[in-house]
Amino acid sequence: MAYSDLRGFINLLEREQELARVSERVDPNLEITEIADRVVKAGGPALLFENVHGSEIPVLINHYGSMRRMARALGVEDVEEVARRIEGLVNSEAPGSFLEKLRMLPKLAKLSSAFPKTVKRGKCQEVVLEGEAASLDLLPVLTCWPGDGGPFITLPMVFTKDPETGKRNVGMYRMHVYDARTTGMHWHVHKVGARHYAEYEKRGERMPVAVALGDDPAITYAATAPLPEDFDEMIFAGFLRNTPVEMVKCVSVDLEVPANSEIILEGYVDPGERRTEGPFGDHTGYYSPADDYPVFHLSCITHGKDAVYPATIVGKPPMEDCYIGKATERIFLPLIKSQLPEIVDLNLPLEGVFHNLAFVSIKKRYPMHAHKVINALWGLGQMMFTKIICVFDEDVDVQNVSEVLWRLGSNVDPKRDVMFAEGPVDVLDHAAPQALFGSKMGIDATRKIEGENYHRTWPEEIKMSADVVEKIDRLWGKLGLE
Ligand SMILES: Cc1cc2nc3c(=O)[nH]c(=O)nc-3n(C[C@H](O)[C@H](O)[C@H](O)COP(=O)(O)O)c2cc1C
């Protein structure tokens, strides 16, 4: 089911008792963080702050903050439904590589429902503010943590276009608000927004940028999804919601944005301009240090009447973004499996903040098979950032961290089973000796077989005999032990 807009989703959350309205006056400076942090860690509801100091606009937060709400954000009961849809398409018809299969998705899902369509008018343009009237001071932008460099827009869909091909990209890149008209543009060097910007810089041209805040949450989710570089996130959003995303032309820049967004920031980024961005209390649980990033200049704000401002906070896990990441793990697993069919399951544990840790189970067929899987994952899209990959046999439940730790300790001879590699690391990795480049570790925690430098007999795992289990099952009720 597709939501017509963010308010459609808010209504659903309210009906399903997944939303709490807060009418008490709160400050977007730190106070909303403290409340949202407590609520997300307690497994509480989405929060709609209706009385926010300094702004007329209410703040919605924690609306992705559980697996249940994440599923409802994507219009399903369980995120696995989306994964199964993708798996069905990939298995039935699409030949080719991981990326080719991803590209095939909209075709397989029937073109008409996936492709965005342009409409003349959008709710996001009910109010148009240009010139002096366009001011970021209108927005209840959160200052999230005490050591932050200022307020940050934390759930933006940043729209840009490749100047050569005209192809659109949408990425979620936080925006450090410097003043009423300028922000930082924190697209990491590995991301598509940064690539587009590099192309504009080469040409010495000003880059148009539009930022959408709040829509059908499936559209916002698509901005975070690790899609191939030239894959239009709005097609992916159309696939997720089974309904095309309606796009409308911006007022002051040559870009289109989702017509039913709550708020649009239109503007540009100039070539060559840099300003200190950060520090920012990040999803690693640490502050990411200040660094130089390009600068977004605001030229126009458009918004719907009674707009709602969507936000999130990141910090020590578990936080709201963990559930966004978990949805990605489930949704992209069928595509990873299509490339590496020996993979049974994957767990990117919340504590690993997605780029630090991956637990993978495989159907092992030959000596050193785990090493092949580890290397292949490091070559697969944004999985390249994964710092530590641990591989287990197919019968290990990698979602069960207790079992994972038991097998890891038991099955590994560190000298033989640990491999190191070097390569690009996530911008947020603070442990690497230098920014952007560091080492990665692969651990083969599978049972060792012939050809893997194991010269003993692997011990048998302890299991009760089936007939005894059956007998005790039958007896259980009579034992008075319930
Ligand atoms: C809440 C949230 C905030 C994010 N902030 C950033 C950010 O500031 N910079 C960045 O490069 N990626 C950030 N990401 C990750 C990107 O959105 C993600 O890697 C996305 O796939 C990038 O899109 P692209 O491949 O089109 O560049 C964030 C993700 C989430 C969920």
Side-chain angles (χ1 to χ4, degrees), residues 169-174 186 188 191-192 223-226 233 382:
N169 187 69
V170 194
M172 181 166 288
Y173 318 120
R174 71 173 187 235
H186 187 252
H188 297 160
K191 307 295 170 72
V192 182
T224 74
E233 285 81 3
Q382 292 188 33

Side-chain angles (χ1 to χ4, degrees), residues 85 104-118 234-246:
R85 253 179 90 205
M104 288 289 282
L105 280 183
K107 288 207 182 97
L108 297 169
K110 308 288 174 272
L111 286 175
S112 54
S113 72
F115 276 89
K117 66 177 189 209
T118 307
M234 293 302 98
I235 297 177
F236 187 60
F239 164 78
L240 287 174
R241 59 204 298 270
N242 267 317
T243 306
V245 180
E246 292 188 349

Side-chain angles (χ1 to χ4, degrees), residues 154-156 169-175 186-194 222-229 233 277 282 312 314 321 324-325 382 385:
T154 48
L155 271 184
N169 187 69
V170 194
M172 181 166 288
Y173 318 120
R174 71 173 187 235
M175 298 163 77
H186 187 252
W187 39 50
H188 297 160
V189 62
H190 307 114
K191 307 295 170 72
V192 182
T224 74
L227 295 162
E229 293 230 338
E233 285 81 3
E277 200 270 359
D282 226 311
T312 190
V314 294
D321 65 320
I324 299 177
Q382 292 188 33
F385 298 123

